[in-house]
Amino acid sequence: MDIQIRGVQKHYGSFHALRGIDLDIASGELLALLGPSGSGKTTLLRAIAGLEPLDGGLVKFGDVDATALSVQERKVGFVFQQYALFKHMTVLDNIAFGLSVRPKRERPDAATINKRVRELLELVQLGGLEKRYPAQLSGGQKQRVALARALAIEPRVLLLDEPFGALDAKVRKDLRRWLRQLHRETGYTTIFVTHDQEEALELADRVVVMNRGVIEQVGTTDEVWDAPLTPFVYDFLGTPNVLPGQVAGGVLRLSGASGALDAAPAAAEGTVDVYTRPNELRVAAADDPAALAGKVVETQRTGLLLRLGVQLLGSGAVIEVELPHPDPAVQRWQTGDTIRLRPARYRLFPRSGLAADAATGFDPTLTVTEHRSRSRS
């Protein structure tokens, strides 16, 4: 089921939760709504479900205008962060609930319901637990029951609101892999809300990055990671260093460096902010005129990474650097060492905050996965 969202508005008093949202969701897509608290992602999910009346705009399911349809008429499966299971019901009865409360003319017979529930128990890998009560289940098992209950009604759309937010890190990681496999098997159009960048990038076909009721960027996980369109997206999908620079005559000069770097053809002349992630900085040669000199003020070993805090000698600003942990035969950076750094990849934004198409210096030896793993670690 494809979904079209056009000009959707939602107010809560003077608070503008959604500001004219336009979005197309393809049939069978697994889409993430990603953003901080208050960005509007849960409000948008609830608007798609019909749980929030709109103050403007429309939602279409296929060719049908669903704006005036009830939750039941939209036939969506909704999974909440806190499971919302009935404590007095067994796993089997919880999963069967949506089918058993249908109007009599639409309700399957008991044998059909039982067969459907047992199929779902196998699908969510809970076979043999149908007689247990929620209190006898782990958090991960409860969330699988909640998903099975949503799937029992054979929804046209599956909506998940922070589905793994109440679980510990190990269980979340396991359930993410499981949900991706479940999506491949069922093919439902699925939309999930998260504030977890790793979760969105690992699970989704496409990511919608939201901020203050608007969409900042929509794209594949590679697109939003490799080519953030706004400073907000860059900052939210990691912790970039922001360096002052100047573009003139098609070249970029970093504040504190005598040499020049390439500026993208579309980069506007004038003062810019240079965004570069900690893992996109490289140790430069001592005679590299475009490099920035700094002093190591902090070191931290994290798995295969060496994290450095470097105070730039020119401005005094402290930036973060991530380097592969060196072989014993290679220099180990220590507090007090002088280091020279050059951004291997960066993106330019005018000081106004508007996006400039200036991603340059991409290091082809690093894959997207390596960039992600370094940023997430």
Side-chain angles (χ1 to χ4, degrees), residues 120-185:
L120 287 168
L121 283 167
E122 294 304 318
L123 182 66
V124 300
Q125 301 172 10
L126 291 177
L129 302 184
E130 60 272 12
K131 293 183 180 179
R132 292 193 183 182
Y133 289 87
Q136 299 171 302
L137 303 176
S138 68
Q141 288 171 334
K142 290 176 185 177
Q143 194 58 283
R144 293 188 190 203
V145 173
L147 279 161
R149 184 176 61 185
L151 293 171
I153 64 170
E154 298 181 318
R156 291 186 289 186
V157 179
L158 183 61
L159 306 176
L160 314 174
D161 187 10
E162 299 273 9
F164 309 132
L167 304 173
D168 64 49
K170 175 66 167 62
V171 176
R172 284 203 309 269
K173 193 173 184 67
D174 291 342
L175 280 183
R176 285 202 298 264
R177 287 195 294 264
W178 171 78
L179 180 60
R180 184 72 200 181
Q181 178 62 34
L182 181 69
H183 179 261
R184 282 195 291 266
E185 292 178 11

Side-chain angles (χ1 to χ4, degrees), residues 215-251:
I215 292 175
E216 294 267 347
Q217 185 170 352
V218 181
T220 65
T221 56
D222 288 349
E223 288 168 348
V224 297
W225 180 263
D226 289 333
L229 294 180
T230 68
F232 173 83
V233 176
Y234 217 128
D235 188 66
F236 192 72
L237 293 179
T239 308
N241 298 299
V242 184
L243 307 171
Q246 193 79 19
V247 175
V251 297

Side-chain angles (χ1 to χ4, degrees), residues 254 260-262 280-284 288-292 340-345:
L254 296 176
L261 299 167
D262 291 333
E280 295 169 340
L281 289 161
R282 302 288 181 268
V283 178
D288 185 344
L292 296 171
R340 293 181 66 81
L341 299 165
R342 178 189 180 107
R345 188 178 185 187

